[in-house]
Amino acid sequence: MTYKSGRHFLQIPGPTNVPERVLLAMARPTIDHRGPDFAELGLSVLAGIKGVFKTEHPVVIFPASGTGAWEAALVNTLSPGDKVLMFETGQFATLWKSLAENLGLEIDLVPGDWRTGVDAAAGEDRPTADAGHTIKAVCAVHNETSTGVTSDIAAVRAAMDAASHPALLMVDTISSLACMDYRHDEWGVDVTVSGSQKGLMLPPGLSFTAVNPKSLAAAEASGFRKSYWRWAEMLSANEKGFFPYTPATNLLYGLKEALDMLNEEGLDYVFARHARHGEATRRAVRAWGLELWCANEAEYSSSLTAVLMPDGRDADDFRKVVLDNFDMSLGSGLGRVAGKVFRIGHLGDFNDLTLGGTLVGVEMGLRLFGLDNAGGGVDAAMDYLTGTRMR
Ligand SMILES: *Cc1c(COP(=O)(O)O)cnc(C)c1O
């Protein structure tokens, strides 16, 4: 293999580009996780992460991929055979559903077309019809990373409240946390699941479950057997900054740095930055004459944009052209939309020129791919970016 000069553009919607500050923060000797220095690190990140979830309640940090947190949310609060209401918004919602089925939960699925978000009306109707309260949890994905569609979580909460239903509300924010506004406490979410490798700008390997008094009470009554995922041991060790088993110490150094960076920039600014890059990308896509996969303007994702390829053209062939020629990785279509869409990640550590380079790579790729009319997208994005300077 020959050396490829310049940096690789990792424009998939996670894992995202890890900034130098985070890389350097992690380049330290691993310390004794039962020693006094560790407690300081532990207490600092356990307190700091609450701000990103907008919660005053504990956030449990597992050494795991996001999938681990999906499982932890379910096995801590539910019992085998319990009914769970889920929404088919895309591939990640589908994977969470399969995981729940594997655990022996019964799924009440609200079908979807993958181009729109959670059907909040069904989120009211089904709980209303469930007079016996057999539904124990309602699970929703805040940002569907397979489709670039966001769901209105406050509306799901309002729907459950309108039905006066006591089920737990669980939300996956793996690709929205630290990209789009999210409010664990204010929106009445009982368990929020997230991961390190997307908006938090860390390598893969940490996952999170934010809890609250209601989900902790449910945990006391849970009939699932578990050990590694048990919140109880975690929470008691966390009180003094420790973990019941070896934590991912160096990733926690990185997390501390990432939290500092998010706070220095300001979360509201971070959200506005993501929204602006999302809009610039959509303008480019329209100028290229391509179709946005997300069908509802109110649900456009700030983290990524999924783009529909013209009929008869394979999105994976296009991604290969971009990778081979410009050393840029774009996201593939997943599940039902494999080969039909490609995804542009614009989340994490990102600025106007990162987006500019990304869009130039896509536009040049479209030309090489023979979509000769596809010009002007970069210009459209530049017009928007220069017209909406931030700070
Ligand atoms: C990335 C992602 C996951 C899966 O996380 P892993 O870390 O790969 O286990 C789940 N849900 C959403 C919305 C994601 O974006």
Side-chain angles (χ1 to χ4, degrees), residues 13 65-68 70 92 141 143-145 172-175 197-198:
S65 87
T67 301
W70 268 348
F92 287 98
V141 175
N143 183 66
E144 239 312 337
T145 322
D172 170 340
T173 64
I174 296 180
S175 63
Q197 75 273 29
K198 302 189 184 177

Side-chain angles (χ1 to χ4, degrees), residues 276-326:
R276 179 167 165 273
H277 287 150
E279 177 59 25
T281 304
R282 293 188 293 273
R283 287 176 185 229
V285 171
R286 291 193 195 100
W288 290 325
L290 298 176
E291 189 176 335
L292 294 165
W293 178 253
C294 177
N296 180 2
E297 238 177 80
E299 295 175 326
Y300 285 149
S301 169
S302 297
S303 301
L304 76 133
T305 301
V307 184
L308 182 62
M309 279 312 264
D311 265 349
R313 302 308 306 268
D314 189 295
D316 289 334
D317 291 344
F318 168 66
R319 289 190 317 109
K320 186 174 178 340
V321 165
V322 172
L323 180 62
D324 291 350
N325 288 279
F326 307 115

Side-chain angles (χ1 to χ4, degrees), residues 146-158:
S146 60
T147 61
V149 179
T150 312
S151 287
D152 183 345
I153 299 304
V156 177
R157 172 80 269 168

Side-chain angles (χ1 to χ4, degrees), residues 72-342:
L74 300 172
V75 298
N76 272 287
T77 54
L78 303 174
S79 301
D82 278 355
K83 194 187 281 183
V84 179
L85 180 65
M86 292 180 140
F87 303 88
E88 190 205 0
T89 48
Q91 179 69 2
F92 287 98
T94 302
L95 290 173
W96 199 6
K97 169 181 157 279
S98 303
L99 183 150
E101 282 170 342
N102 287 339
L103 291 172
L105 293 164
E106 191 192 320
I107 313 303
D108 183 1
L109 186 70
V110 179
D113 61 4
W114 286 40
R115 297 191 77 163
T116 51
V118 164
D119 176 359
E124 180 173 339
D125 296 349
R126 297 204 185 187
T128 302
D130 179 40
H133 295 165
T134 60
I135 297 171
K136 299 301 180 196
V138 174
C139 295
V141 175
H142 182 214
N143 183 66
E144 239 312 337
T145 322
S146 60
T147 61
V149 179
T150 312
S151 287
D152 183 345
I153 299 304
V156 177
R157 172 80 269 168
M160 291 169 69
D161 289 348
S164 301
H165 199 286
L168 295 165
L169 174 58
M170 304 197 196
V171 178
D172 170 340
T173 64
I174 296 180
S175 63
S176 54
L177 194 79
C179 305
M180 285 173 260
D181 192 16
Y182 184 79
R183 305 172 183 208
H184 179 80
D185 289 359
E186 189 182 320
W187 294 348
V189 181
D190 300 299
V191 187
T192 299
V193 170
S194 205
S196 55
Q197 75 273 29
K198 302 189 184 177
L200 288 175
M201 309 178 284
L202 295 165
L206 292 181
S207 67
F208 307 88
T209 52
V211 301
N212 71 3
K214 187 171 166 185
S215 51
L216 291 177
E220 306 253 322
S222 159
F224 268 118
R225 292 187 175 203
K226 65 260 173 189
S227 177
Y228 184 82
W229 300 120
R230 270 173 71 93
W231 283 336
E233 282 82 353
M234 268 288 189
L235 293 171
S236 72
N238 283 176
E239 278 173 25
K240 294 201 159 61
F242 293 107
F243 287 73
Y245 41 74
T246 315
T249 306
N250 289 56
L251 286 172
L252 297 179
Y253 283 133
L255 176 59
K256 188 170 189 297
E257 190 68 21
L259 291 171
D260 283 349
M261 291 164 68
L262 290 169
N263 290 328
E264 284 167 28
E265 191 178 353
L267 274 183
D268 287 340
Y269 189 93
V270 171
F271 301 148
R273 167 166 66 77
H274 279 82
R276 179 167 165 273
H277 287 150
E279 177 59 25
T281 304
R282 293 188 293 273
R283 287 176 185 229
V285 171
R286 291 193 195 100
W288 290 325
L290 298 176
E291 189 176 335
L292 294 165
W293 178 253
C294 177
N296 180 2
E297 238 177 80
E299 295 175 326
Y300 285 149
S301 169
S302 297
S303 301
L304 76 133
T305 301
V307 184
L308 182 62
M309 279 312 264
D311 265 349
R313 302 308 306 268
D314 189 295
D316 289 334
D317 291 344
F318 168 66
R319 289 190 317 109
K320 186 174 178 340
V321 165
V322 172
L323 180 62
D324 291 350
N325 288 279
F326 307 115
D327 198 21
M328 175 162 75
S329 298
L330 295 169
S332 60
L334 299 173
R336 199 197 273 183
V337 291
K340 288 173 68 175
V341 307
F342 68 91

